[in-house]
Amino acid sequence: MPSEEMDILGLRSEQARRIAREREMHRRFKSGELRGVVVSSSDADADRGVLLAAAHLFQRQLSKMPKEYVLRQVFDTKHATMALVGPAAEVVGGVCYRPFFERGFVEIVFLAVDYDFQVLGVGGFMMDLFKEVAKGEMRGKEWEAADSVLGIYRHKCVAIDDLDALHVSVAAEMPGPLYLVTYADNFAIGYFKKQGFSTDIRFGGWEGVIKDYEGGTIVECKVLWEIDYLRKQEAIEEMRREVLQRMRAAGSIHVLYKIDDYSGIKGAADIPGVPGEAGTGREVAGDAGLLDRFISYLISDLQSNAHAWPFLKPIDPEEVPDYYRVIANPMDLSTMLSKLESNKYKGLEPFVRDVRLMASNCMEYNGKDTQYYKCAQMLLDHFHGRLESYRHVASRLWAEGPG
Ligand code: ACO
């Protein structure tokens, strides 16, 4: 009996756990059990008690660091600390950081959660909060560049009271890309990866600016302006539902078949839900719909590729005024998706032609040493690799069909 109630790979229950954790952190904040503050000794009114408590926390949790050194860093006027303060006014977590806003990044100097509060979601929440705080600071006026070349700022100390007021909608002015970068302790790399950090360095604007630490691995994270990190689990849940809905619409992948009697199963084709070999009478729908599903898969595979960002939408003529004078037949991934949805692709070949056109336009317009040219090359190589892996499907769908 097919069942619609499948929890694919346990994702639903994992997600439910993360949503509950996110809500619990919001509840603690609202009830005042937990509050946030940003403190820097560059502000004469700084609460030095909080700074000292944060320094003690870092000293306890980062025991390999010399205590004296930690203290100096926390009280350094170039640094600020975002602290989470618990019910007994104790610092339960903190991020000591140095902003380089004019260079588009913030260095995390130390980060820790008190031992008694670990594994409860505090560390994840603290990073989400920090991302929103960093965005607000970069956009706002909590700092003043005393010397932007040396990255010296004067920070205003602020209390973080209202989580709902922190995230500002995308429509508001965005000052440019923002990255977080840190030398992660090797034991904490897994934590940083869960928070969106990567060892695959793409930004690198911090090179030669921040100090090297031995025994750590440099990781960086692009902070997205359009994401409300404090509500990211709910946003992920919305996306999960959307994906499932699309999978349901595209086929029967969501249907769970229960088998009560295994005696009749002699081969793969006898398993309920598994399409059989041609000629066994159990093929699901032949090639009907396969072309659209395959192209749809290839488009979303391209869209999610790290080198696809220049090709997601048509070139904006206001940003690149002469583009349409040079390029006679523009093409991009959103246009391909519209063509697919309006049934314009009658075979795989015209779609492949569009992908190649998109890349060759880019290579024609941009010089060989530009990142756009390199993206086009990488994306095209990736695409050809995909076609090669699925050549058994591709060759079936290559010819243009009727109409
Ligand atoms: N390795 C892999 N995954 C981890 C780790 C780890 N060491 N720590 C946490 N995670 C995962 C959790 O499983 C959780 O995953 P989920 O979202 O799938 O459930 C997610 O990260 C968030 O976990 P939290 O419970 O929110 O994290 P926690 O409150 O325990 O804080 C932290 C993590 C900050 C690393 C804490 O363990 C700590 O303070 N450690 C000691 C100090 C430290 O190592 N700091 C970083 C040093 S690097 C530097 O300071 C620049």
Side-chain angles (χ1 to χ4, degrees):
M1 167 74 77
S3 158
E4 301 269 336
E5 293 304 313
M6 191 164 82
D7 182 5
I8 297 174
L9 302 175
L11 289 180
R12 200 179 53 202
S13 38
E14 263 297 282
Q15 198 47 27
R17 179 180 68 81
R18 294 200 179 106
I19 289 176
R21 206 170 58 184
E22 187 175 85
R23 288 191 182 145
E24 170 59 13
M25 295 308 298
H26 278 257
R27 187 201 64 72
R28 285 199 205 177
F29 229 86
K30 281 214 167 86
S31 70
E33 280 170 57
L34 211 54
R35 61 192 174 86
V37 281
V38 176
V39 193
S40 168
S41 60
S42 65
D43 185 337
D45 298 329
D47 182 341
R48 273 147 212 278
V50 170
L51 275 183
L52 197 58
H56 285 160
L57 168 71
F58 297 135
Q59 287 171 340
R60 278 197 310 279
Q61 296 297 338
L62 302 162
S63 51
K64 279 188 261 161
M65 293 275 173
K67 289 193 173 9
E68 176 83 28
Y69 172 74
V70 172
L71 198 65
R72 268 209 317 272
Q73 298 298 308
V74 173
F75 278 87
D76 190 322
T77 49
K78 297 189 289 298
H79 295 166
T81 294
M82 185 196 85
L84 288 180
V85 182
E90 76 283 27
V91 169
V92 304
V95 184
C96 174
Y97 61 101
R98 179 172 176 184
F100 290 89
F101 291 129
E102 272 118 348
R103 291 172 185 262
F105 78 95
V106 173
E107 177 193 6
I108 295 181
V109 181
F110 305 127
L111 173 146
V113 168
D114 185 72
Y115 191 75
D116 289 344
F117 290 82
Q118 285 178 13
V119 200
L120 301 171
V122 175
F125 171 80
M126 187 167 75
M127 183 61 81
D128 291 333
L129 183 62
F130 182 61
K131 286 175 181 169
E132 291 302 329
V133 165
K135 284 198 273 186
E137 286 193 359
M138 188 171 178
R139 185 173 6 219
K141 302 194 169 36
E142 286 80 11
W143 54 280
E144 183 193 316
D147 186 328
S148 59
V149 178
L150 293 176
I152 298 175
Y153 299 90
R154 270 185 224 104
H155 241 92
K156 277 188 206 152
C157 298
V158 286
I160 308 160
D161 300 318
D162 183 2
L163 293 186
D164 296 333
L166 271 183
H167 179 72
V168 181
S169 87
V170 196
E173 197 190 325
M174 290 180 274
L178 169 63
Y179 285 81
L180 302 183
V181 54
T182 193
Y183 271 95
D185 187 288
N186 289 338
F187 290 110
I189 287 186
Y191 161 80
F192 280 104
K193 285 194 170 167
K194 282 255 162 103
Q195 311 310 317
F197 285 73
S198 171
T199 48
D200 180 10
I201 302 303
R202 278 150 202 262
F203 167 62
W206 38 265
E207 278 172 50
V209 180
I210 66 169
K211 214 183 317 166
D212 283 348
Y213 285 92
E214 269 180 35
T217 302
I218 193 89
V219 287
E220 64 172 36
C221 168
K222 185 170 188 180
V223 180
L224 301 173
W225 291 96
E226 57 273 40
I227 301 280
D228 179 355
Y229 286 95
L230 290 164
R231 282 184 182 63
K232 76 171 185 214
Q233 299 302 351
E234 304 220 354
I236 291 171
E237 175 59 11
E238 250 172 60
M239 278 188 251
R240 193 187 68 85
R241 281 175 200 273
E242 171 79 27
V243 168
L244 277 181
Q245 216 168 6
R246 287 192 185 198
M247 282 163 77
R248 282 195 171 99
S252 57
I253 193 157
H254 60 289
V255 177
L256 179 66
Y257 290 86
K258 287 194 183 128
I259 306 172
D260 296 322
D261 177 11
Y262 287 84
S263 61
I265 297 180
K266 307 281 184 246
D270 301 318
I271 300 172
V274 174
E277 305 269 312
T280 61
R282 295 209 49 239
E283 46 289 42
V284 176
D287 281 357
L290 181 61
L291 176 67
D292 283 4
R293 288 204 301 278
F294 189 51
I295 294 179
S296 167
Y297 159 73
L298 289 170
I299 293 176
S300 44
D301 180 59
L302 288 172
Q303 282 170 328
S304 59
N305 187 282
H307 303 102
W309 56 269
F311 308 105
L312 297 176
K313 291 196 175 125
I315 301 293
D316 181 348
E318 289 201 1
E319 281 174 25
V320 194
D322 70 338
Y323 187 82
Y324 293 92
R325 278 200 299 277
V326 180
I327 299 299
N329 296 307
M331 186 48 65
D332 69 284
L333 290 169
S334 75
T335 304
M336 285 182 226
L337 193 59
S338 308
K339 282 179 77 173
L340 175 69
E341 282 166 359
S342 50
N343 220 9
K344 297 264 166 52
Y345 292 122
K346 306 292 184 195
L348 188 61
E349 196 180 355
F351 168 70
V352 172
R353 251 189 273 130
D354 276 352
V355 177
R356 289 178 181 155
L357 171 68
M358 177 177 81
S360 64
N361 283 346
C362 176
M363 290 166 156
E364 185 185 332
Y365 186 81
N366 298 288
K368 258 193 164 165
D369 51 353
T370 62
Q371 53 180 341
Y372 299 104
Y373 190 101
K374 286 174 195 153
C375 279
Q377 229 167 10
M378 306 275 250
L379 196 66
L380 201 56
D381 285 352
H382 169 82
F383 179 67
H384 286 147
R386 277 284 186 265
L387 284 183
E388 181 56 24
S389 324
Y390 287 96
R391 65 178 177 282
H392 54 293
V393 182
S395 58
R396 241 160 84 185
L397 299 169
W398 189 252
E400 284 194 49

